[in-house]
Amino acid sequence: ARAGGSDVAYVLFTSGSTGRPKGTVVERDALRRFAAAVAARLGLTSRDRWLQVASLGFDVLIEEVFPAFAAGAAVVCREDTRALDAEELHISLARSRTTVVELSTQYWLEYARWLDAGGTTTPAELRTVVVGGERMDPRPYRAWQARQPAGLAHVYGLTECTVSSTFYTGLLPSGAAEVPLGTPLRDVEISIRRDGRPVPDGETGEIHIGGPLLARGFLDDEAATARRFVPDPWAADPGARLYVTGDLGRIDADGQLVFLGRVDDQVKIRGHRLEPARVERALCEVAGVDQAVVFPDPETGTVLWAFTVPAEQAAAPLPGEAVRLTGADRDALVAPLEAQLPDWAVPRVLYRVSVLPKNPHGKVDKRRLATWAAAAGRTSAQAQAPVPSPLPHGAVEPSPGEPLDSVLALFREVLGDPGLGPDDNFFDHGGQSLLAMRLLARLRESHPAAAGLRASALFASPTPRLLAEAVAERATARP
């Protein structure tokens, strides 16, 4: 049978932040229009080569493959699906003569840091780096535009609207407080609404997306479809629909969409949508916890922090202080969460406080909590004898100058925990793939034997002691 435009192209499941994952049903016509619109916006031609990086279950895959096909360009597939660290990415881009690549915001930041640290520029063939998924800090964006020959395309979109809906490719003005999300693709309609009514440009409201790129809805879930895919009473075309994004934004004086946060408290962690309240409820179910708040770390946004208030005030620190939990105290909170939440949703950095401070609007003051956490880190770093996690029987703290000492110092630096011991697990203390890339990059700077060691080596050697032994074995084996 000949396929029609209203037939299903694919069903892609979201991460299920609030419960059961929902399958988003995207039709062939939406995919066709999307591919053509992205190809046109990026100026793709048959001479382009797009390096495929994203997981095969992530909607970014759609953006990496189909616009290139629509333009007759090449999609460069890697030999395996393991995460590349910054140096490996750079080598892969150069060897494959890639012209376009798409990176998550945090992955791009790691690559940008690596380029700056080495005084290196992007490969000559690379002309565009598409970046999106999380809020972008203007400072590294400007720094990249000032130093790197490859241009940036900042994108915004949702699975329910066929991946990306807006692109920003301009030079960021010096006074801009936010990196714009850009202007709509062809066949995409963006409006800012409050209580369902469009608001004038410049005013804040909820971002609504319309046009033929909207998905059909959620698979076998009419109620959820009706909540998010709503009729547009202000449209000229009868039957027009809108997707209610839950994102706050405004249209600036240049007609660019600017992201201003979430209507609710939903966040993104490593590409997954998460309702922090789900994790907070799970924490409060743990014996001895009275209150909890969870949010991404302010620096990278890739690790969840949790602040808990103990049920017994005798166990609370002094007001205005945060105590980082380690050892058995930390494990007692993490273990129940690991049994009911996906790995990326489990906080790996936990603090205990006496109270959750409030801002003038009555909401938890997360900035103040972050300040308390920073102060706790400085206090630990300045201590004459930081207290590490208990060492195994017979083990001793490494002496300064030993290989283990330098590896342990890097663990403490990258994870921001001066109290880590030689046998503490990287992933139990907030480590994840992007921080693993950073750790291995720093390790290669000081240990030539670590050259070629992939970030995935941390899965086999997740403690400072094991990683130091792995590096020592490589040094012994070198001719």
Side-chain angles (χ1 to χ4, degrees), residues 149-450:
L152 290 175
H154 191 220
V155 299
Y156 164 78
L158 298 152
T159 302
E160 296 85 349
C161 304
T162 314
V163 203
S164 297
S165 296
T166 65
F167 276 63
Y168 176 73
T169 56
L171 286 174
L172 188 64
S174 59
E178 295 286 341
V179 180
L181 301 178
T183 55
L185 289 175
R186 186 175 66 211
D187 289 327
V188 174
E189 299 168 6
I190 299 289
S191 60
I192 307 298
R193 305 193 178 203
R194 196 179 303 130
D195 298 324
R197 292 175 172 269
V199 301
D201 289 355
E203 292 193 17
T204 299
E206 187 171 3
I207 300 172
H208 288 62
I209 301 177
L213 267 59
L214 293 193
R216 180 188 294 179
F218 298 116
L219 183 67
D220 298 331
D221 195 338
E222 294 181 3
T225 299
R227 283 195 301 271
R228 303 309 292 262
F229 294 87
V230 301
D232 184 4
W234 304 92
D237 299 329
R241 298 182 305 151
L242 292 169
Y243 183 74
V244 183
T245 67
D247 293 328
L248 291 172
R250 62 180 174 85
I251 304 296
D252 68 14
D254 296 322
Q256 305 283 349
L257 178 64
V258 178
F259 176 74
L260 300 174
R262 289 286 303 173
V263 172
D264 51 26
D265 287 329
Q266 189 181 84
V267 298
K268 267 194 173 182
I269 292 293
R270 291 147 59 188
H272 301 279
R273 300 184 206 172
L274 175 70
E275 297 284 355
R278 180 188 179 198
V279 185
E280 292 162 1
R281 285 194 297 270
L283 276 169
C284 290
E285 292 172 359
V286 179
V289 176
D290 182 49
Q291 294 176 283
V293 65
V294 172
F295 56 91
D297 71 285
E299 182 178 351
T300 71
T302 62
V303 177
L304 281 179
W305 283 7
F307 291 79
T308 62
V309 177
E312 297 292 335
Q313 279 300 301
L318 294 174
E321 291 185 358
V323 174
R324 183 160 178 171
L325 301 182
T326 59
D329 288 339
R330 177 185 172 280
D331 294 343
L333 295 182
V334 170
L337 302 186
E338 290 179 327
Q340 57 181 303
L341 297 171
D343 177 73
W344 51 265
V346 177
R348 299 297 175 182
V349 177
L350 297 96
Y351 293 91
R352 181 178 291 153
V353 294
S354 62
V355 65
L356 297 180
K358 301 294 195 297
N359 62 24
H361 302 289
K363 295 186 176 182
V364 174
D365 192 334
K366 296 172 184 176
R367 288 187 178 181
R368 197 185 308 179
L369 287 172
T371 300
W372 293 356
R378 288 194 298 270
T379 300
S380 297
Q382 293 167 358
Q384 290 293 325
V387 181
S389 299
L391 299 177
H393 180 69
V396 296
E397 181 81 4
S399 301
E402 293 183 0
L404 175 55
D405 176 66
S406 60
V407 175
L408 177 59
L410 287 178
F411 268 65
R412 291 171 173 173
E413 172 193 324
V414 171
L415 294 175
D417 187 352
L420 281 175
D423 298 292
D424 282 330
N425 190 294
F426 178 80
F427 300 100
D428 288 343
H429 291 267
Q432 32 78 10
S433 58
L434 290 171
L435 292 180
M437 292 178 189
R438 188 178 304 177
L439 175 64
L440 266 295
R442 296 279 287 108
L443 185 62
R444 284 193 290 267
E445 292 174 4
S446 55
H447 292 272

